[in-house]
């Protein structure tokens, strides 16, 4: 069964450093989401792409976070500089279209900022 | 704004016990409602969904009914197994004005089933 691939699985960094996460959605899925899940809370949407275009980044802290999906396939989420409060699980998900409500999630990247 | 509230966990049950995990929501319009499950070390997986009032979603012995009058979508299973131990998330689709299909999640409820 096709899966959403994410890497790295774990990332430890010091505050003020830059970090980047990668996601490869299921082939053919036009819509890609990045969610952040803080320990003990549900996932919260950071950014949503339709193909290569951002359709919702209202919750993305744009002073330090950036996301791109240049060719409308895989995506990178970057944090620069990282802060202690950024420690969380970063989840990538994809769906066939933006009105298709079935999301497929990757296993996530667990970020620890020291 | 739209939101989802789940009962706090952890919920600890013996095998074959009856499970209820409460979920209530606040939303404008008519969102779709979902239950996602997250097994240890894995990503979230869609467990079941309901798209309109009085719809019942079901999968793997789990059921939930979309109750508009009580704004609830409680998850139930008649007889849990050890393999059901996981974190369960209730969610709604936030169509908003741009119909992006964005999901809003509750905080999650951890279920532990003991043999």
């Amino acid at each position: 069964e096709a899966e959403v691939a994410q890497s790295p699985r774990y990332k430890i960094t010091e505050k003020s450093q830059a970090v980047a996460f990668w996601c490869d959605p299921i082939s053919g899925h036009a819509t890609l989401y990045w969610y952040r899940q803080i320990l003990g809370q549900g996932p919260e949407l950071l950014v949503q792409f339709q193909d290569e275009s951002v359709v919702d980044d209202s919750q993305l802290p744009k002073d330090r976070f950036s996301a791109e999906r240049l060719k409308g396939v895989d995506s990178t989420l970057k944090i620069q500089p990282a802060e202690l409060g950024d420690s969380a699980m970063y989840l990538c998900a994809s769906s066939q279209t933006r009105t298709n409500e079935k999301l497929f999630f990757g296993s996530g990247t667990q970020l620890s900022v020291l | 704004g739209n939101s989802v509230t789940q009962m706090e966990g952890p919920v600890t049950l013996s095998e074959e016990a009856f499970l209820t995990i409460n979920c209530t929501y606040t939303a404008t319009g008519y969102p779709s409602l979902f239950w996602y499950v997250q097994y240890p070390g894995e990503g979230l997986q869609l467990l079941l969904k309901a798209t309109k009032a009085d719809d019942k979603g079901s999968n793997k012995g789990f059921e939930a009914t979309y109750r508009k009058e009580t704004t609830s979508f409680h998850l139930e299973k008649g007889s849990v197994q050890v393999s059901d131990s996981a974190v369960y998330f209730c969610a709604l689709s936030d169509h908003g004005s741009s119909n992006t299909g964005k999901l809003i999640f509750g905080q999650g409820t951890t279920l532990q089933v003991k043999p």
Side-chain angles (χ1 to χ4, degrees), chain A residues 44-106:
Chain A
E44 293 183 314
L45 181 69
L46 291 174
V47 62
Q48 178 182 352
F49 288 92
Q50 178 66 27
D51 298 312
E52 67 277 6
S53 301
V54 172
V55 297
D56 187 344
D57 63 355
S58 57
Q59 301 302 309
L60 187 71
K62 299 179 188 64
D63 58 334
R64 298 184 300 108
F65 286 64
S66 64
E68 61 183 17
R69 194 184 183 199
L70 294 176
K71 297 183 179 179
V73 181
D74 59 337
S75 175
T76 302
L77 178 69
K78 297 179 181 178
I79 308 175
Q80 182 173 19
E83 297 181 352
L84 296 178
D86 296 331
S87 295
M89 176 75 81
Y90 290 82
L91 297 167
C92 180
S94 69
S95 62
Q96 284 186 314
T97 68
R98 75 179 196 183
T99 56
N100 185 321
E101 294 173 326
K102 183 173 183 179
L103 269 61
F104 293 82
F105 282 83

Side-chain angles (χ1 to χ4, degrees), chain B residues 11-43:
Chain B
V11 174
T12 303
L13 296 174
S14 298
E15 208 164 21
E16 299 184 1
F18 184 85
L19 169 70
T20 300
I21 299 178
N22 290 338
C23 170
T24 57
Y25 68 90
T26 301
T28 55
Y30 303 94
S32 296
L33 301 175
F34 306 83
W35 278 99
Y36 277 80
V37 59
Q38 186 174 31
Y39 298 104
E42 299 183 15

Side-chain angles (χ1 to χ4, degrees), chain B residues 85-103:
Chain B
S85 298
V87 182
Y88 292 81
F89 293 92
C90 185
L92 63 81
S93 61
D94 185 1
H95 294 297
S97 60
S98 59
N99 195 29
T100 60
K102 150 185 160 181
L103 294 182

